[in-house]
Amino acid sequence: MKTDPYTLEIIKNALVAIGDEMFLTMARTSMSPIIYEALDFSVGITDAKGELIAQGQGTTVLLAMIDSFVRDILEKFGDAGIREGDVYIGNDPYRGGGTHLSDFGIATPIFHDGTLVAFAVNKAHWLDVGGAVPGSFSTNATEIFQEGIQMPICKIIDAGTLRQDILDIIIANIRVPQESVGDMWAGVAANGVAERRVRELFDKYGHDAVLGAKDELLDYGEAMVKHELAGLPKGEFFAEDLIDDDGRSDTPLKVMVKVTITDDKFIADFSGSAPQTLGPINNSRTGLTSAVRLIFKAITNPQVPANSGSFRPIEIICPDKTVFTAERPAPVSTYWETLMYGVDLIWRALAPHVPDRLGAGHMLSVCSVVFAGTHADSGKNTILVQPLVGGWGGGTGKDGESGQFAAADGETYNVPIEITEARYGVHVDQYAFHNEDGGHGEFRGGKGVVLDYRMRTDDFTVTGSFGRFKYPAWGMAGGRDGSPNHLDIIRADGTREVHGKVTGAKLAKGDVVRMVTATGGGWGDPKARPKAAIAEDLRNGFLTKEQAERYYGGLPG
């Protein structure tokens, strides 16, 4: 070995740290709360061939988007077309890095001594990318053309020169260009940090040492997950479920998985799942890869750095043109609803066999909402986009986590109430845990929340997708299913509308939008729950007296 193991270890950890520094740069320089508060983005670096080296903390649904985005660049432009000073941009859902049009990818090739050695990449949710409704996702679209501007991967900066024509096209197609273009430049800046840090590594240690450490990092990731894989139960495991509907009809969609675990392979077969559908819950094949990577990390070792090596044991089987592998021109703006069923099916299939790692079902849906209208104080047009927290399932020896984001969100955070009221001009009436029926068990499901926004002007609209509205989170070992996600519109005259999905609903001054997220599934027989825990739930308002009597055998003495 030409390079000593201590130096290799330093380089390996430096590569991981670069991803973390990119993440912080993106958060600190962006202009939209969906990025700088909610942290709805992901960053990472790949080698020159598109192998993921490190991925900073971020949104877990993007676990397959960094490396696939780079592979698409390499396929489209080739080595000769990629030059120092280039920056690439794109949001094509059907190719590398594809999710939905709101997620823009930005990639910067990194050269050292004239040789392409790496790529820095980030993918972030923009507030608006055009389309039929503000916020650029709907629950009733029928084709991708209704969902916003489509940008196949192209150069936004060509050898150091801004492509103003490309930027002009983007600006002309989005409702809030100042915020979105500001977020674009934040992505370019985050990539620039990675570019400097990678060059510094090559300057200090040389090509052979850095590339050798990169290969060791990938091999280490593979070795670590295979060690974990060896401790998992072997065989075939099955699960199936129903997605509420596609947003266009009331027909549920059947989805299923067969998981095969061997000593060195983790195979997820989604054959038999519903075909791609008319409505916008369709998911891309890259999104399905993210889903499997997400749950694979959860059941092996989440602490192993995310890189291509750590995902080598995964094999995914799914025919083309299913709801998990949609193709153009299928709408995809609420893709996360289906992507998360990819996670949840594997979760459900394996939870009884690895109860120390997986509990009962959780809220599943991102419960994403978009409010658009005129700020009551400034008179400016505003677009509020945010995901919501909810409950996770109970498990062996513990209650579920309350007020947490869905597994899709990763490092996502709340948009603070003060920011919501100041930036968007709505009034927050309440933000609290609820006691809706569901999730009862010896170890109860974590509690969902209720969040009320009261309108202060007459021109707001709301769009929201709250999956698991009809089919709540599943319980385990005798525990009860959780409660549903739902969005209620309470009119100023007291009338109420209850929705699982809604697009562009008109709101008037005094109307309240009440967003209610799921309580997770319960674990174990509710009658085995300790009386002290029941009394605590009653004190906290998590449980009503009627629920205590019905599910838990009466009130504590």
Side-chain angles (χ1 to χ4, degrees):
M1 184 181 295
K2 293 181 179 179
T3 306
D4 67 86
Y6 303 104
T7 301
L8 285 174
E9 191 68 17
I10 291 170
I11 297 171
K12 284 159 56 178
N13 283 282
L15 291 169
V16 174
I18 289 169
D20 294 337
E21 189 175 1
M22 288 178 69
F23 186 83
L24 291 173
T25 302
M26 185 79 177
R28 290 172 176 172
T29 57
S30 61
M31 295 188 65
S32 303
I34 188 64
I35 296 180
Y36 68 73
E37 292 286 355
L39 305 181
D40 190 354
F41 68 95
S42 190
V43 299
I45 54 175
T46 76
D47 66 11
K49 297 179 180 179
E51 289 284 308
L52 182 64
I53 300 173
Q55 186 158 349
Q57 300 299 311
T59 310
T60 49
V61 293
L62 303 179
L63 270 172
M65 308 308 171
I66 302 299
D67 46 342
S68 61
F69 191 68
V70 171
R71 288 195 294 272
D72 203 27
I73 292 171
L74 292 168
E75 180 182 339
K76 183 171 183 177
F77 291 90
D79 291 340
I82 298 172
R83 298 185 294 173
E84 195 164 355
D86 287 347
V87 177
Y88 298 84
I89 194 169
N91 70 342
D92 188 342
Y94 310 103
R95 294 185 62 86
T99 50
H100 60 175
L101 295 176
S102 297
D103 291 335
F104 261 82
I106 298 172
T108 303
I110 301 173
F111 288 78
H112 186 262
D113 291 340
T115 300
L116 177 64
V117 294
F119 286 85
V121 186
N122 65 79
K123 192 169 179 69
H125 187 113
W126 289 11
L127 281 178
D128 184 87
V129 294
V133 294
S136 307
F137 84 75
S138 69
T139 64
N140 58 11
T142 58
E143 55 184 3
I144 189 71
F145 308 105
Q146 299 164 0
E147 296 181 321
I149 183 173
Q150 298 179 64
M151 291 291 295
I153 292 177
C154 60
K155 294 183 182 183
I156 187 69
I157 299 177
D158 188 355
T161 300
L162 173 67
R163 289 287 307 274
Q164 189 64 46
D165 53 346
I166 299 297
L167 185 59
D168 288 345
I169 291 171
I170 294 172
I171 290 171
N173 280 277
I174 57 181
R175 295 176 176 87
V176 284
Q178 181 177 2
E179 288 91 341
S180 293
V181 173
D183 294 339
M184 182 195 80
W185 288 119
V188 173
N191 287 357
V193 167
E195 184 178 17
R196 290 193 299 274
R197 295 292 183 256
V198 169
R199 285 177 173 171
E200 288 169 1
L201 273 182
F202 277 89
D203 285 339
K204 186 172 183 178
Y205 296 106
H207 277 248
D208 290 345
V210 176
L211 296 179
K214 179 266 296 184
D215 291 338
E216 281 210 2
L217 182 62
L218 300 183
D219 291 342
Y220 170 79
E222 180 181 16
M224 287 295 289
V225 297
K226 282 189 174 179
H227 173 75
E228 297 288 341
L229 205 57
L232 295 179
K234 306 301 184 295
E236 295 181 343
F237 310 92
F238 301 85
E240 63 180 49
D241 208 337
L242 295 172
I243 299 176
D244 292 344
D245 53 62
D246 71 346
R248 296 292 305 184
S249 77
D250 292 329
T251 305
L253 303 170
K254 187 175 182 179
V255 287
M256 60 186 66
V257 74
K258 178 179 77 173
V259 180
T260 304
I261 302 177
T262 69
D263 287 335
D264 57 1
K265 295 291 288 185
F266 185 92
I267 305 168
D269 185 349
F270 296 89
S271 300
S273 295
Q276 73 180 50
T277 188
L278 182 64
I281 65 163
N282 295 294
N283 178 62
S284 68
R285 186 173 290 277
T286 310
L288 183 60
T289 301
S290 278
V292 178
R293 285 183 174 185
L294 191 167
I295 190 66
F296 179 74
K297 281 184 68 66
I299 62 172
T300 53
N301 185 348
Q303 302 305 315
V304 175
N307 61 49
S308 292
S310 68
F311 299 129
R312 284 173 185 164
I314 294 174
E315 180 181 338
I316 301 171
I317 301 170
C318 190
D320 294 334
K321 293 188 176 182
T322 74
V323 71
F324 288 120
T325 53
E327 297 181 3
R328 189 181 300 276
V332 294
S333 61
T334 58
Y335 77 99
W336 67 81
E337 301 286 13
T338 297
L339 183 152
M340 283 308 300
Y341 272 87
V343 175
D344 201 61
L345 285 169
I346 297 174
W347 185 336
R348 192 168 189 171
L350 296 179
H353 307 283
V354 286
D356 58 322
R357 305 191 183 197
L358 298 173
H362 81 320
M363 64 185 291
L364 185 142
S365 178
V366 171
C367 295
S368 187
V369 289
V370 177
F371 290 83
T374 303
H375 195 292
D377 300 318
S378 70
K380 294 181 179 179
N381 292 331
T382 64
I383 299 177
L384 183 164
V385 181
Q386 71 177 108
L388 302 176
V389 298
W392 285 53
T396 306
K398 73 174 191 68
D399 291 340
E401 292 76 15
S402 299
Q404 299 296 309
F405 285 100
D409 287 311
E411 292 294 308
T412 304
Y413 282 77
N414 289 286
V415 175
I417 290 171
E418 296 83 358
I419 296 293
T420 299
E421 293 187 335
R423 285 289 299 262
Y424 304 110
V426 300
H427 182 74
V428 181
D429 279 358
Q430 67 166 333
Y431 190 19
F433 293 120
H434 63 69
N435 59 11
E436 289 199 356
D437 208 358
H440 306 292
E442 179 182 0
F443 300 100
R444 61 163 175 76
K447 303 305 294 184
V449 302
V450 54
L451 175 60
D452 286 2
Y453 286 170
R454 184 178 299 274
M455 301 301 110
R456 297 174 58 211
T457 60
D458 284 322
D459 65 345
F460 261 79
T461 61
V462 62
T463 297
S465 182
F466 284 51
R468 283 220 179 279
F469 171 61
K470 299 175 183 175
Y471 304 102
W474 41 274
M476 278 184 68
R480 301 303 180 96
D481 289 349
S483 65
N485 299 297
H486 58 97
L487 182 150
D488 303 353
I489 299 175
I490 306 169
R491 300 294 180 182
D493 64 4
T495 58
R496 181 188 297 256
E497 307 161 17
V498 181
H499 301 275
K501 298 179 177 70
V502 63
T503 294
K506 295 185 181 301
L507 304 170
K509 185 177 181 179
D511 289 348
V512 173
V513 177
R514 174 164 294 167
M515 296 156 279
V516 184
T517 60
T519 289
W523 190 98
D525 185 352
K527 289 187 169 54
R529 186 165 178 80
K531 296 298 182 183
I534 298 170
E536 184 72 12
D537 287 343
L538 286 165
R539 280 194 297 271
N540 289 329
F542 293 166
L543 193 66
T544 67
K545 291 181 179 180
E546 188 274 333
Q547 290 167 348
E549 291 174 346
R550 189 190 333 163
Y551 296 106
Y552 295 97
L555 298 173

